[in-house]
Amino acid sequence: MNSKPGTAEIRRPTASGERLKKRYAAERRFRLYGLCSILAAGLMLVFLVGSIAGTGWSAFLQTYVKLSITFDAEYLDPAGTGDPEQLQNADYGALMKKNLRDNFPEVTGRSDKRKLYNFVSPNAGYVLRNMVIADPSLAGRTLDLWVKASDDVDMLAKGYVDRGEAEGNRRVSDTELGWYDKLDGADRVETRFNTDFFVNADSREPEEAGILGAVTGSALTLLITLLLSFPVGVMAAVYLEEFAPKNNWTDLIEVNINNLAAVPSIVFGLLGLAMFLNFFGFPRSAPLVGGMVLALMTLPTIIIAARSALKAVPPSIREAALGLGASPLQVVTHHVLPLAMPGILTGTIIGMAQALGETAPLLMIGMIAFIVDIPGGFADPATVLPVQIYLWADSPERAFVERTSAAIMVLLAFLIFMNFVAVLLRRKFERRW
């Protein structure tokens, strides 16, 4: 078709027949590839979470055995004085061993006795001591008590010990299997919810190990991180976005902030080790130093998220406020910052979630130490949940495997909760214009 003088001819592609079929087939293949990618990612996620849950659920249960315990006065208070100090310092370990021998009188050999003493938790003696201190009238009495089983017996009760395997290849001998079956046949074996996992700190004994110390350390560390990184990050973002002159120095600062967000986290640990520990002499393994290191790591994330949120505020709001006589500071504090706050909070929570899961920088400042106490302050020795998981994963006992997975489940629950809070904040304060 001839075009009119002075106008360009519009050439339309011929999309019919085989070409049209190929184009539609390519579109269907593209959609199929995307769907396959999503399905593959979903399957891997389900496999990962299922594997962790399948291994870790049993850590929320603990096996107990029922034993007849005699609070022999000869062990507790030989002189019969009733002195509380004497009751507190009595040899409860020996008392527990005597009661084990009394419950299994057929055990006479030295090797079998050693196995028998390991049948219950080594901390069973402390349980007896606490009971006597709470009620001194127990001296001389005999009670049937549920005592926590050792980690090997606990694994046997949960089905992790293969009875058909050769005796030399399993941690529970045939003799111990006989003791367990004897108690189980008499209904003296019971599985209870493992509350100690949530209220105890770390321990060398798997059946006594808990996550409260690590959770407390994580909370204190994140609090320091939030207090340092949030105000500094927001102020830096506001200055760069609203007040800083556009020149080469500003561009250099922006490039470096973006680069810092991609620096490996262990580099921040090395910086914390050199600056906070070696130069300033701050306490090692303390949440104070851990929070400062994580604050350095989280700052670029908060600054970038805050700048994006500030950019999203329409310029017309600034212009309207300036037109009504507001100063630049009033424009920012009264109008721009409140409107950008949902995006800033979302970015901050995502940064905090990232800090919660970090391990490498904390290893460099000594938070990998074995801490059995629950930290009471920011300067107390502490560890955090990811480091606790790392320590348990490196332990040879089978019982620590399930506790590692259980701790990962708790950590994932924290991360999901923090992301859920971020979504709620965004929806609650989001403004549309």
Side-chain angles (χ1 to χ4, degrees):
M1 189 175 70
N2 295 329
S3 59
K4 295 180 180 179
T7 60
E9 180 182 358
I10 299 176
R11 302 183 61 186
R12 300 183 183 278
T14 304
S16 61
E18 290 299 320
R19 288 189 62 185
L20 194 60
K21 289 180 181 177
K22 287 182 180 179
R23 194 169 71 181
Y24 288 159
E27 184 178 340
R28 286 195 296 271
R29 283 198 301 273
F30 182 78
R31 291 183 179 181
L32 183 62
Y33 295 154
L35 182 62
C36 289
S37 301
I38 294 173
L39 287 177
L43 286 175
M44 284 189 282
L45 180 62
V46 169
F47 177 76
L48 174 65
V49 175
S51 174
I52 293 172
T55 307
W57 71 270
S58 56
F60 301 118
L61 302 175
Q62 175 62 42
T63 303
Y64 286 77
V65 295
K66 193 175 185 179
L67 298 175
S68 179
I69 303 294
T70 300
F71 293 90
D72 198 331
E74 292 184 4
Y75 286 82
L76 302 180
D77 188 13
T81 59
D83 184 5
E85 187 174 353
Q86 169 62 33
L87 293 177
Q88 185 168 1
N89 296 328
D91 191 351
Y92 290 93
L95 177 65
M96 191 67 223
K97 290 179 180 178
K98 177 183 180 301
N99 279 284
L100 284 169
R101 293 195 299 271
D102 293 342
N103 279 268
F104 296 91
E106 69 276 11
V107 179
T108 55
R110 184 176 179 182
S111 175
D112 287 344
K113 283 183 179 177
R114 191 162 52 246
K115 293 177 182 175
L116 181 63
Y117 298 154
N118 293 327
F119 195 76
V120 298
S121 171
N123 289 342
Y126 295 104
V127 176
L128 300 184
R129 185 189 66 176
N130 293 337
M131 293 179 64
V132 171
I133 291 175
D135 184 8
S137 66
L138 290 176
R141 294 171 58 186
T142 300
L143 300 174
D144 283 342
L145 296 179
W146 289 98
V147 181
K148 195 179 289 186
S150 67
D151 59 318
D152 290 335
V153 177
D154 185 46
M155 291 294 99
L156 172 65
K158 292 174 180 175
Y160 292 118
V161 177
D162 185 4
R163 289 173 177 260
E165 198 172 4
E167 183 179 4
N169 295 334
R170 47 181 155 83
R171 292 180 60 88
V172 181
S173 65
D174 291 341
T175 305
E176 292 169 299
L177 284 177
W179 298 337
Y180 174 81
D181 292 338
K182 178 183 175 181
L183 290 175
D184 194 25
D187 291 333
R188 285 178 170 262
V189 177
E190 187 176 273
T191 302
R192 300 178 180 177
F193 183 72
N194 188 10
T195 54
D196 288 343
F197 181 74
F198 297 97
V199 300
N200 284 358
D202 196 11
S203 172
R204 297 289 186 197
E205 309 300 333
E207 67 275 6
E208 300 291 343
I211 60 171
L212 183 58
V215 170
T216 306
S218 290
L220 294 174
T221 302
L222 282 184
L223 181 60
I224 293 292
T225 304
L226 180 65
L227 292 177
L228 292 178
S229 62
F230 182 71
V232 175
V234 172
M235 285 191 291
V238 168
Y239 175 76
L240 289 173
E241 196 60 36
E242 302 291 336
F243 298 102
K246 303 300 178 185
N247 53 33
N248 292 335
W249 286 108
T250 307
D251 294 340
L252 181 65
I253 292 173
E254 292 178 359
V255 169
N256 279 285
I257 289 174
N258 294 331
N259 289 336
L260 280 174
V263 169
S265 58
I266 196 168
V267 176
F268 292 99
L270 290 170
L271 176 64
L273 173 65
M275 188 167 65
F276 299 135
L277 297 186
N278 295 341
F279 185 76
F280 288 108
F282 288 157
R284 183 179 289 271
S285 305
L288 174 65
V289 181
M292 295 167 74
V293 171
L294 292 181
L296 292 176
M297 190 196 72
T298 311
L299 259 178
T301 304
I302 295 179
I303 293 174
I304 293 172
R307 292 192 65 189
S308 299
L310 292 169
K311 283 180 182 175
V313 177
S316 57
I317 293 180
R318 297 177 177 84
E319 294 165 359
L322 289 171
L324 291 174
S327 67
L329 181 61
Q330 288 174 326
V331 171
V332 171
T333 55
H334 294 179
H335 302 282
V336 177
L337 200 53
L339 291 173
M341 194 52 70
I344 295 175
L345 290 176
T346 302
T348 302
I349 291 177
I350 291 174
M352 290 295 106
Q354 179 188 1
L356 177 63
E358 277 296 338
T359 303
L362 301 179
L363 300 182
M364 303 305 300
I365 58 170
M367 295 193 80
I368 194 174
F370 176 68
I371 309 293
V372 297
D373 296 323
I374 298 172
F378 295 107
D380 290 347
T383 187
V384 292
L385 202 48
V387 176
Q388 186 70 78
I389 293 170
Y390 172 78
L391 289 172
W392 284 353
D394 199 37
S395 299
E397 289 86 353
R398 173 63 181 78
F400 274 122
V401 174
E402 61 174 12
R403 278 159 176 77
T404 301
S405 297
I408 293 174
M409 293 167 65
V410 174
L411 180 61
L412 287 176
F414 273 118
L415 293 174
I416 292 172
F417 174 75
M418 293 180 73
N419 283 283
F420 178 70
V421 171
V423 172
L424 285 182
L425 288 174
R426 187 171 64 245
R427 289 185 177 178
K428 182 175 178 60
F429 297 107
E430 191 174 24
R431 297 288 185 270
R432 295 182 183 276
W433 42 74

